[in-house]
Amino acid sequence: MIKLIASDMDGTLLNDKKQLPEDFFDTIDSLCEKGVKFTVASGRTYAAVEHLFPEEYRKKLDYICDNGAYIVHEGKTLEITPLDRSDFEEFMHAAEKIGGLKILVCAVGGTYHLHDTSDFNAEVSKFYKNHIECDDLLAIKDTVYKLAVCDMQGAQQRGKPALDAIFGDRLNIQVSGPIWMDVMAGGVSKGSALKKLSAALGIDRSEVMAFGDYYNDMDMLTTAGMSFAMENGSEDIKKITTHIAQSNNCGGVTKAIKQYVLSEVNV
């Protein structure tokens, strides 16, 4: 029996217009009646996702944010995993040497980036709220838990291999979109956060369902006993899941929940 559901946001739960499925809140109400927890699992910050949900639903949902670095359970912060300051500083210097990388620093007090008049500001606004422009990212004294790195030349093809060659397993560098990477402390991912949340709830892996579409969802999908790649997702993701859901533009997440959880189908 499924007791916990985790879903990625962009490209998965949200359609291409960044809208929730029309039946999302009715689905959440039905899940609550059955005692099933729903968890929003995103590369975005908590501030960038919680505003999508009306006040009365925010505490009904749990949140895995910043690709696992920030976990919220029943309206309270369950865990924040910061980046070591020395790793943060080394990363900033390495990124400068590689060149062509623009960085958004996600921290407890907000998200920070350098003054920029290029397309980067427009990209940041798509996914983040409360972002603060500054003159020197290394001067930030806040507690940093994730770096969102934009590589307009291609994250998977260029940025990630270059950064992996330097940091190896010391940092977890996840490709979260064609031009985006998320950098967290080693061992931090949506999958590790889902394990912690499951443990807090006393839920076994076999009782967990997860939905995703891209590389930063892989750990979460392999953690869940029942996993869905979106029809619109990466072909590599489809190879590791137990099921394929209809596309994000067809409300694939809520349709699968209705079929496999709310209709009592034997899965």
Side-chain angles (χ1 to χ4, degrees), residues 129-184:
K129 301 291 181 184
N130 305 325
H131 44 98
I132 304 160
E133 293 190 17
C134 59
D135 296 317
D136 182 5
L137 296 178
L138 286 172
I140 296 169
K141 301 302 181 184
D142 208 338
T143 300
V144 177
Y145 48 80
K146 190 191 80 172
L147 304 175
V149 184
C150 182
D151 185 351
M152 292 292 186
Q153 298 179 53
Q156 183 74 20
Q157 299 80 9
R158 192 187 84 101
K160 180 174 168 56
L163 291 167
D164 279 343
I166 300 170
F167 295 99
D169 294 333
R170 185 151 47 106
L171 298 177
N172 187 6
I173 301 169
Q174 297 273 346
V175 175
S176 54
I179 61 171
W180 283 102
M181 294 169 282
D182 286 337
V183 181
M184 293 77 62

Side-chain angles (χ1 to χ4, degrees), residues 220-233:
M220 178 176 72
L221 293 170
T222 54
T223 294
M226 188 176 191
S227 57
F228 289 80
M230 305 307 291
E231 190 175 56
N232 54 285

Side-chain angles (χ1 to χ4, degrees), residues 14-253:
L14 299 178
N15 65 21
D16 290 348
K17 294 180 180 180
K18 306 301 180 186
Q19 299 168 329
L20 291 163
E22 290 184 2
D23 60 349
F24 177 75
F25 295 108
D26 287 340
T27 301
I28 294 300
D29 289 339
S30 297
L31 289 173
C32 289
E33 289 175 7
K34 288 177 67 70
V36 180
K37 293 290 293 184
F38 187 91
T39 301
V40 172
S42 178
R44 301 196 207 186
T45 62
Y46 178 60
V49 295
E50 56 92 20
H51 76 282
L52 295 170
F53 308 99
E55 187 72 33
E56 64 267 29
Y57 282 91
R58 290 178 189 172
K59 289 188 178 180
K60 294 180 181 180
L61 306 173
D62 287 339
Y63 302 84
I64 293 171
C65 296
D66 296 288
N67 278 324
Y70 195 107
I71 308 171
V72 176
H73 174 49
E74 295 183 347
K76 297 180 181 180
T77 302
L78 178 67
E79 183 169 296
I80 297 174
T81 307
L83 274 173
D84 183 82
R85 182 70 193 188
S86 62
D87 286 336
F88 167 60
E89 292 179 358
E90 184 181 349
F91 186 92
M92 298 301 292
H93 292 306
E96 185 176 2
K97 289 181 180 179
I98 292 170
L101 303 178
K102 296 187 178 183
I103 299 172
L104 184 73
V105 177
C106 301
V108 171
T111 52
Y112 305 81
H113 63 88
L114 298 176
H115 298 290
D116 200 304
T117 58
S118 70
D119 293 339
F120 179 64
N121 276 354
E123 286 295 322
V124 167
S125 297
K126 289 180 184 178
F127 304 106
Y128 292 92
K129 301 291 181 184
N130 305 325
H131 44 98
I132 304 160
E133 293 190 17
C134 59
D135 296 317
D136 182 5
L137 296 178
L138 286 172
I140 296 169
K141 301 302 181 184
D142 208 338
T143 300
V144 177
Y145 48 80
K146 190 191 80 172
L147 304 175
V149 184
C150 182
D151 185 351
M152 292 292 186
Q153 298 179 53
Q156 183 74 20
Q157 299 80 9
R158 192 187 84 101
K160 180 174 168 56
L163 291 167
D164 279 343
I166 300 170
F167 295 99
D169 294 333
R170 185 151 47 106
L171 298 177
N172 187 6
I173 301 169
Q174 297 273 346
V175 175
S176 54
I179 61 171
W180 283 102
M181 294 169 282
D182 286 337
V183 181
M184 293 77 62
V188 174
S189 68
K190 289 183 182 181
S192 66
L194 185 58
K195 289 177 183 176
K196 291 174 183 176
L197 191 56
S198 300
L201 293 166
I203 293 174
D204 185 76
R205 174 179 179 272
S206 63
E207 300 169 315
V208 178
M209 172 187 284
F211 296 84
D213 74 309
Y214 216 68
Y215 294 100
N216 61 322
D217 299 319
M218 291 183 82
D219 285 353
M220 178 176 72
L221 293 170
T222 54
T223 294
M226 188 176 191
S227 57
F228 289 80
M230 305 307 291
E231 190 175 56
N232 54 285
S234 164
E235 293 302 315
D236 289 337
I237 301 304
K238 293 175 184 177
K239 294 174 184 177
I240 65 164
T241 58
T242 60
H243 295 72
I244 305 296
Q246 292 185 39
S247 80
N248 63 320
N249 289 322
C250 295
V253 171

Side-chain angles (χ1 to χ4, degrees), residues 1-15:
M1 177 181 174
I2 298 298
K3 297 181 180 179
L4 172 62
I5 301 170
S7 176
D8 173 52
M9 291 290 284
D10 298 289
T12 301
L13 183 61
L14 299 178
N15 65 21

